[in-house]
């Protein structure tokens, strides 16, 4: 074999790889509901994957697929199972694996347009469509990221440069007042992580109390800002949440935006979970005010069911991104083109993969209306689950259900009891649910972001939970009634 062809597949190899891949994808699709939700991990197999040296002579295409089928797949969580409901993570849409394969084959480096002209335009099309959902105008822009946490980190970086124009040169080593970030007590930990990474410090993140619906209290926000100004600190950014990760609560964005306007603060929306519910006719009004924010983080790998990774940062004024991220480099200089964007100037990465293709491809293949229908259906399933729980005497909801997160508890159960129930549901193959903690109370949470989930799946879960809860009540009654010795 010629040296230049040693890392290519010949005709037979390509045919074998294509046949085996199609077979794998077909079986994966058909067997999703039959596979265990969480694998019974074979530690010996995983140890061998870790410890076995890579071969000097390759095992070939057939050997590789055998390794995947026999060792990797059996030790992988079945995210596509219809009762995988523990996290804000759904299965990828059907076109995603094929789009990923094409993106891998053409291997566009989405940093400056000469390396990826079509990819530059495709990413712009995706970003423009997402920005349009929130009424952002022609000055808006954005970039696809690895996820919502990175998008929020990039947003706070952009806000920091906007607040301190000399930050690039001076950093935080100045006599200027300490900057303060405000967010909800229910906000995602990515806000804390971003503040720590950027050197602002967790002591300068204010966790604002929430109301009885787990939404940021605007009065408490204003009081915190006032107190910090009086203390000589510099409030500069509020991170509101449109869909908290535990209960799905939506902060009062319009009222928070009013505060930010009066106080001259950057408003960022963490919409990683909830922002794309704007596609639902029934929820659109609740998300209209997001368009007043300076930046929005959202995740196409959630409600657009793109395969991981696919997050997005949107900004109302795209020049704020270049002020934070554009650096000259002689070896990357290329003639500007009004049709293209050099995404290396919009974020921290230089080498970037073609994430936009799988998002664009799914919108093309299925159409926007299909995603609207799927989102509405999942909202309906969450409402159905909440209604079923409400009707059960031994179960109770812990919070309203504005989106698709359903938090509930077994009456009279402890944290340990709920943990045991979650383990039982996994062990018997009923469902993978997650723990929930709200206002100091412990319970469980189902998050319906899985387009494969059906009413029958929800009924099966609630019926089983009701049986477990009834037995818990009966056991507690027997213990109470037992005579003392």
């Amino acid at each position: 074999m010629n040296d230049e062809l040693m890392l290519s597949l010949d005709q037979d190899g390509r045919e074998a790889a294509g046949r085996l891949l199609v077979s794998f994808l077909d079986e994966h699709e058909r067997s999703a509901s039959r596979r265990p939700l969480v694998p019974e991990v074979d530690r010996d197999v995983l140890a061998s994957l870790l410890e076995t040296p890579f071969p000097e002579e390759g095992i070939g295409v057939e050997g590789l697929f055998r390794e995947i089928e026999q060792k990797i797949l059996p030790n992988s969580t079945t995210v596509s199972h219809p009762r995988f409901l523990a996290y804000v993570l759904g299965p990828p849409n059907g076109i995603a694996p094929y789009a990923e394969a094409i993106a891998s084959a053409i291997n566009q480096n989405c940093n400056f347009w000469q390396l990826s002209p079509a990819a530059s335009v495709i990413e712009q099309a995706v970003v423009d469509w997402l920005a349009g959902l929130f009424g952002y105008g022609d000055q808006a822009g954005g970039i696809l990221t690895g996820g919502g946490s990175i998008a929020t980190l990039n947003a706070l970086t952009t806000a920091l440069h906007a607040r301190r124009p000399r930050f690039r040169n001076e950093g935080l080593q100045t006599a200027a007042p300490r900057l303060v970030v405000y967010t909800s007590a229910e906000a995602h930990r990515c806000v804390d992580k971003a503040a720590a990474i950027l050197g602002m410090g967790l002591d300068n993140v204010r966790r604002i109390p929430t109301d009885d619906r787990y939404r940021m209290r605007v009065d408490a926000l204003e009081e915190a800002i006032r107190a910090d100004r009086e203390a000589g600190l510099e409030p500069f950014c509020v991170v509101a949440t449109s869909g908290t990760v535990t209960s799905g609560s939506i902060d009062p964005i319009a009222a928070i935006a009013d505060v930010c306007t009066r106080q001259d603060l950057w408003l960022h929306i963490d919409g990683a979970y909830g922002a794309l519910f704007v596609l639902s006719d029934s929820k659109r009004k609740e998300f209209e005010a997001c368009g007043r924010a300076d930046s929005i983080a959202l995740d196409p790998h959630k409600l657009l069911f793109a395969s991981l990774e696919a997050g997005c940062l949107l900004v109302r004024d795209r020049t704020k991104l270049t002020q934070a991220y554009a650096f000259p480099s002689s070896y990357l200089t290329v003639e500007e083109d009004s049709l293209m964007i050099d995404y290396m100037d919009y974020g921290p990465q230089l080498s970037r993969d073609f994430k936009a293709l799988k998002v664009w491809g799914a919108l093309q293949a299925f159409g926007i209306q299909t995603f609207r229908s799927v989102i509405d259906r999942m909202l309906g399933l969450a409402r159905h689950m909440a209604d079923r729980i409400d009707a059960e005497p031994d179960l109770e909801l812990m919070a309203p259900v504005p989106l698709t997160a359903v938090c509930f508890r077994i009456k009279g159960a402890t944290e340990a009891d709920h943990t045991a129930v979650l383990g039982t549901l996994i062990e018997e193959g009923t469902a993978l649910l997650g723990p929930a903690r709200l206002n100091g109370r412990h319970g469980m949470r189902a998050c319906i972001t899985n387009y494969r989930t059906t009413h029958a799946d929800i009924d099966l879960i609630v019926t089983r939970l009701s049986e477990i809860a009834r037995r818990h009540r009966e056991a507690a009654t027997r213990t109470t009634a037992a005579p003392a010795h």
Side-chain angles (χ1 to χ4, degrees):
M1 182 182 293
N2 294 333
D3 286 349
E4 65 269 20
L5 299 179
M6 291 178 70
L7 289 176
S8 297
L9 295 178
D10 60 17
Q11 181 70 32
D12 290 342
R14 290 194 298 274
E15 289 178 1
R19 170 176 50 81
L20 291 166
L21 179 60
V22 169
S23 176
F24 176 89
L25 294 176
D26 182 59
E27 175 60 20
H28 190 267
E29 175 75 19
R30 290 188 292 105
S31 66
S33 61
R34 301 196 307 268
R35 294 197 304 277
L37 281 150
V38 177
E40 186 174 340
V41 174
D42 189 327
R43 299 187 67 82
D44 290 338
V45 167
L46 294 186
S48 73
L49 289 173
L50 181 63
E51 296 164 3
T52 302
F54 289 107
E56 289 294 331
E57 300 293 331
I59 60 176
V61 170
E62 301 269 359
L64 172 62
F65 272 86
R66 272 197 304 274
E67 290 284 289
I68 293 169
E69 292 274 6
Q70 295 173 7
K71 298 179 180 179
I72 294 177
L73 186 61
N75 288 289
S76 297
T77 303
T78 308
V79 174
S80 294
H81 194 289
R83 295 190 297 280
F84 177 92
L85 303 175
Y87 307 102
V88 190
L89 173 64
N93 61 67
I95 203 67
Y98 304 94
E100 288 275 48
I102 292 168
S104 179
I106 63 177
N107 202 34
Q108 300 295 279
N109 192 343
C110 301
N111 52 14
F112 69 105
W113 73 261
Q114 192 177 57
L115 288 181
S116 50
S120 175
V121 172
I122 292 296
E123 185 159 354
Q124 287 181 67
V126 170
V127 167
D128 287 352
W129 175 71
L130 291 169
L133 295 176
F134 302 96
Y136 272 5
D138 292 341
Q139 285 298 109
I143 186 170
L144 295 188
T145 67
S149 293
I150 294 297
T152 290
L153 172 62
N154 292 357
L156 264 64
T157 303
T158 306
L160 181 57
H161 281 79
R163 173 64 62 167
R164 299 269 173 88
R166 293 190 56 78
F167 175 74
R168 176 176 292 189
N169 294 324
E170 297 176 351
L172 293 175
Q173 309 299 329
T174 70
R178 284 173 19 213
L179 297 172
V180 184
V181 180
Y182 304 84
T183 195
S184 157
E186 289 295 314
H188 194 274
R189 64 183 180 182
C190 69
V191 181
D192 290 336
K193 188 176 287 190
I197 291 170
L198 292 172
M200 288 184 283
L202 297 182
D203 288 347
N204 300 304
V205 178
R206 303 288 181 261
R207 288 281 183 166
I208 305 301
T210 59
D211 61 17
D212 59 357
R213 295 167 64 185
Y214 303 102
R215 305 174 307 171
M216 186 191 296
R217 280 177 42 202
V218 178
D219 62 327
L221 171 64
E222 291 191 284
E223 174 57 27
I225 293 169
R226 183 197 61 77
D228 283 331
R229 288 200 192 281
E230 289 183 356
L233 305 178
E234 185 177 347
F236 94 105
C237 180
V238 177
V239 180
T241 307
S242 60
T244 57
V245 72
T246 300
S247 67
S249 61
I250 303 166
D251 285 337
I253 305 297
I256 293 171
D258 289 341
V259 172
C260 291
T261 298
R262 289 196 302 270
Q263 297 283 351
D264 188 27
L265 306 181
W266 183 284
L267 175 57
H268 174 64
I269 304 294
D270 177 4
Y273 166 26
L276 283 171
F277 282 103
V278 73
L279 286 166
S280 169
D281 291 336
S282 67
K283 294 293 176 181
R284 187 171 298 119
K285 274 197 81 66
E286 294 183 59
F287 292 92
E288 277 183 356
C290 290
R292 295 180 60 188
D294 296 282
S295 55
I296 305 170
L298 54 85
D299 274 352
H301 64 216
K302 291 186 171 71
L303 295 187
L304 294 182
F305 305 98
S307 51
L308 294 167
E309 303 165 348
C312 182
L313 171 62
L314 303 174
V315 291
R316 192 145 44 95
D317 179 359
R318 61 179 176 270
T319 64
K320 302 295 186 185
L321 285 176
T322 56
Q323 288 167 9
Y325 289 113
F327 282 78
S329 179
S330 60
Y331 81 101
L332 294 177
T333 300
V334 67
E335 183 180 348
E336 290 188 8
D337 188 303
S338 60
L339 186 61
M340 311 293 184
I341 284 179
D342 293 334
Y343 278 100
M344 64 184 180
D345 294 338
Y346 276 50
Q349 286 180 273
L350 188 57
S351 297
R352 298 176 64 243
D353 65 343
F354 192 1
K355 287 181 174 64
L357 183 63
K358 59 195 172 190
V359 181
W360 179 87
L363 291 169
Q364 293 286 350
F366 298 112
I368 297 170
Q369 184 55 45
T370 301
F371 288 98
R372 294 188 196 279
S373 298
V374 168
I375 288 170
D376 281 333
R377 184 172 166 278
M378 293 190 304
L379 286 164
L381 286 172
R383 188 67 257 164
H384 175 64
M385 186 172 196
D387 291 343
R388 283 289 316 269
I389 289 169
D390 251 348
E392 295 294 337
D394 299 311
L395 300 174
E396 62 180 349
L397 292 173
M398 298 174 67
V401 183
L403 298 176
T404 59
V406 184
C407 298
F408 60 95
R409 65 191 304 273
I410 295 172
K411 293 179 181 178
T414 65
E415 180 181 8
D417 293 331
H418 285 112
T419 299
V421 171
L422 292 172
T424 297
L425 295 176
I426 293 171
E427 185 177 348
E428 66 190 19
T430 299
L432 179 62
L433 307 183
R437 182 176 181 178
L438 288 168
N439 200 24
R441 296 196 307 163
H442 296 276
M444 295 176 282
R445 171 180 170 278
C447 193
I448 301 164
T449 49
N450 188 332
Y451 64 81
R452 299 174 189 271
T453 305
T454 66
H455 279 80
D457 291 311
I458 298 300
D459 289 338
L460 184 152
I461 293 168
V462 177
T463 298
R464 182 66 181 115
L465 284 166
S466 300
E467 293 171 355
I468 294 171
R470 186 183 67 251
R471 286 205 295 269
H472 179 271
R473 171 173 50 82
E474 291 170 349
T477 301
R478 286 194 298 272
T479 300
T480 303
H485 293 289

